[in-house]
């Protein structure tokens, strides 16, 4: 997906770029998050399996007013982050199900008080893990 924002990190705020997460004690789902409060200003890809959260961070603060292409991938129990067509980071997750019959939300915050301010374009969700070549191709097509 492409994102453009200048929204700075704020204490006690985790503005979601997109989320399909039920936010109850036994959390299940996934999210792309703009910031982790004002503690870490990098974006992140998060999954929740039976109430346990796993995440991987991008490499930079993308809230600079420019368009950025970000991709979060789950491949088995590995989480991968790509930023502007290039591999940014990896993390360990779970291979358990993140599936839940709940709506996909855009530009909201977990407490619904302050969502993400900015623009989104070409949002895509796949039912498989993309390769590094596919991610680079999506970036290059959208530039």
């Amino acid at each position: 997906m492409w994102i453009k924002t200048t929204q700075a990190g704020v204490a006690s705020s985790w503005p979601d770029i997109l989320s399909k997460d039920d936010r109850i004690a036994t959390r299940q789902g996934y999210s792309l998050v703009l910031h982790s409060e004002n503690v870490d200003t990098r974006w992140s890809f998060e999954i929740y399996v039976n109430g346990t959260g796993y995440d991987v961070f991008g490499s930079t603060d993308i809230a600079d007013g420019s368009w950025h292409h970000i991709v979060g991938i789950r491949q088995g129990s590995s989480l991968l982050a790509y930023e502007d067509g290039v591999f940014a980071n990896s993390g360990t997750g779970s291979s358990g199900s993140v599936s839940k019959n709940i709506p996909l939300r855009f530009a909201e915050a977990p407490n619904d008080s302050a969502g993400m301010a900015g623009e989104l374009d070409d949002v895509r969700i796949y039912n498989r893990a993309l390769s590094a070549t596919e991610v680079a191709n999506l970036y290059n097509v959208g530039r």
Side-chain angles (χ1 to χ4, degrees):
M1 87 166 29
W2 288 90
I3 180 171
K4 181 180 179 181
T5 183
T6 57
Q7 183 175 347
V10 176
S12 300
S13 178
W14 298 265
D16 286 341
I17 299 166
L18 72 77
S19 179
K20 189 171 171 80
D21 169 11
D22 62 8
R23 304 199 192 285
I24 59 175
T26 57
R27 285 178 91 166
Q28 197 84 359
Y30 56 88
S31 301
L32 283 170
V33 181
L34 182 59
H35 302 297
S36 181
E37 301 187 88
N38 58 351
V39 177
D40 195 326
T41 57
R42 297 175 296 165
W43 66 277
S44 64
F45 171 52
E46 304 175 342
I47 66 166
Y48 294 91
V49 177
N50 297 323
T52 302
Y54 307 90
D55 57 23
V56 61
F57 286 87
S59 57
T60 63
D61 179 357
I62 58 171
D64 61 5
S66 297
W67 281 101
H68 292 279
H69 188 253
I70 60 171
V71 178
I73 296 174
R74 179 178 175 216
Q75 190 169 35
S77 62
S78 296
L79 301 178
L80 308 171
Y82 286 82
E83 193 172 309
D84 295 330
V86 178
F87 174 76
N89 211 344
S90 66
T92 302
S94 168
S95 59
S97 176
V98 296
S99 188
K100 189 92 178 208
N101 188 18
I102 55 176
L104 178 64
R105 297 183 319 265
F106 295 92
E108 291 183 5
N111 58 9
D112 295 324
S113 63
M116 187 211 68
E119 300 174 65
L120 302 176
D121 192 23
D122 199 19
V123 176
R124 299 178 185 211
I125 299 174
Y126 293 86
N127 64 356
R128 63 179 179 81
L130 298 177
S131 70
T133 301
E134 289 173 310
V135 172
N137 287 342
L138 286 171
Y139 171 73
N140 289 325
V141 165
R143 291 195 316 161

